[in-house]
Amino acid sequence: MQATKRHIWNGVIREFYDLLPGIKDDSIVTLREGNTPLIEVLTMGDLFGKGIRIFLKYEGLNPTASFKDRGMTMAVSKAKEEGSHAVICASTGNTSASAAAYAARGGLRAYVLIPEGKIALGKLSQAMMHGATVIQVEGNFDDALAIVKEVSNTYPVTLVNSINPYRIEGQKTAAFEVCSHLGYAPTYHFLPVGNAGNITAYWRGYKEFREKGIIDTLPKMMGFEAEGAAPIVRGYPIKNPETVASAIRIGNPSSWENAVKARDESGGVIDMVSDDEIINAYKLLAKEGVFCEPASAASLAGVIKMHKNDIFKSGDTIVCTLTGHGLKDPDTAIKSSDKPVSVEAELSKVVRVLGF
Ligand code: AN7
């Protein structure tokens, strides 16, 4: 059989070149991020009974296993184009993993500040393996962000948190992909909210496609914070945010105002879900064969919460962004599951445990 040459995905900068800020080709730092699958939910019975379709935008299948890669390819490429030799970020984990990988790829140094003891193991291992300088701060994400902002104002290092405008530009490409996969914009777009960059980015992406006449309608943007880290819902910064969804353990989001704008312009909602609701949705998704990290499941937890308020109608299309892969946080996965059974290496004993 002859191998056929098909189009091979080139990463979000090259694939969406005309829709992003210009960049010199030899500055592009990419790991061919994007082009993640949109997977239809099959088994959530009573939602389906009403002719509602739910799709999962599985961003855990990006190169460093989270949506952050879409923005990081832009931010690191721009840093390289501008002649920067180093990048810095504060992170609840995924931004640091992505910054470390893209900096390594582009030949830049990476400095990452993380809240001590509060980031998932997979994410920490990524930042360490890619050779970032990892600094654990005795404080939370918000404390770390305040410090990196100061450092980048004073020293020759580029800030790659989502206040870097190129991050949002890159991340908006996920909205383009959702529309291209469906052939239209969904009725609702659900996603977790932490620092609120992603809800800002999706809303921008949808609006740009609408302005170009590529889609006719816009989705309602449905953002979900964790109950113990819900500054936007409560209307004030949270000093000591707490949640099992460590990725969104953020008390004072950078893109707060833009998230509120996305909600209000789209006629959507920013609400919160409890840790129990998050873990319940996390397990339901695993039963569908889709493994995401706890924070990502806040999107589906939001759908379940809204369904109880009976907001959906037959014919609605719902997209949930699953922002990060389940393997990022093996500790929570193991805590949330039945323990493996130990048995002697003997056929009869194994068969008895199997229940045959
Ligand atoms: C899996 O890595 O803020 O509302 O420092 O890792 O755009 O912040 C991570 C955020 C959702 C929230 N899901 O997105 C970081 C960081 C996962 C995440 C969010 C994050 P934003």
Side-chain angles (χ1 to χ4, degrees), residues 9 11-13 15-16 20 29-38 57-77 94 98 102 165-178 181 198 201-202 321-323:
W9 186 260
V12 298
I13 297 179
E15 295 290 340
F16 297 108
L20 293 170
V29 181
T30 179
L31 293 162
R32 296 180 184 258
E33 59 294 312
N35 197 27
T36 56
L38 195 64
K57 182 65 171 157
Y58 194 20
E59 290 287 276
L61 294 190
N62 274 296
T64 78
S66 86
F67 73 99
K68 303 286 182 183
D69 295 343
R70 295 178 183 276
M72 205 54 73
T73 182
M74 276 299 307
V76 172
S77 298
N94 280 324
S98 187
Y102 281 79
Y166 297 118
R167 281 276 313 279
I168 304 292
E169 283 294 312
Q171 283 175 211
K172 76 184 179 188
T173 60
F176 299 160
E177 289 179 18
V178 168
H181 288 194
N198 213 24
Y202 270 98
T321 300
L322 301 185
T323 43

Side-chain angles (χ1 to χ4, degrees), residues 148-314:
V148 297
K149 277 191 203 167
E150 287 293 319
V151 173
S152 67
N153 281 337
T154 315
Y155 300 98
V157 52
T158 305
L159 186 65
V160 293
N161 280 105
S162 57
I163 34 183
N164 177 325
Y166 297 118
R167 281 276 313 279
I168 304 292
E169 283 294 312
Q171 283 175 211
K172 76 184 179 188
T173 60
F176 299 160
E177 289 179 18
V178 168
C179 297
S180 303
H181 288 194
L182 291 173
Y184 51 86
T187 325
Y188 294 94
H189 192 117
F190 282 75
L191 75 176
V193 171
N195 214 22
N198 213 24
I199 190 169
T200 303
Y202 270 98
W203 184 234
R204 186 182 298 175
Y206 284 122
K207 280 200 301 187
E208 287 183 10
F209 257 28
R210 174 80 201 274
E211 279 157 23
K212 290 185 186 303
I214 299 170
I215 52 173
D216 301 326
T217 59
L218 291 168
K220 294 187 191 328
M221 299 303 299
M222 311 292 281
F224 284 80
E225 298 185 307
E227 209 168 77
I232 301 175
V233 176
R234 298 189 194 277
Y236 52 84
I238 308 297
K239 264 230 164 67
N240 297 306
E242 258 327 324
T243 169
V244 67
S246 59
I248 52 172
R249 185 173 168 270
I250 294 175
N252 192 10
S254 298
S255 298
W256 186 320
E257 283 170 25
N258 286 326
V260 168
K261 257 199 222 159
R263 175 193 70 193
D264 295 344
E265 289 175 11
S266 72
V269 161
I270 295 182
D271 199 345
M272 58 189 176
V273 280
S274 69
D275 281 4
D276 284 350
E277 289 172 306
I278 289 172
I279 294 297
N280 175 49
Y282 172 64
K283 291 177 163 179
L284 282 172
L285 287 161
K287 283 191 187 155
E288 285 270 331
V290 180
F291 192 18
C292 66
E293 63 172 286
S296 305
S299 58
L300 183 70
V303 173
I304 295 167
K305 182 168 180 179
M306 291 294 110
H307 178 55
K308 286 181 186 148
N309 296 347
D310 206 22
I311 70 162
F312 304 124
K313 293 193 304 290
S314 181

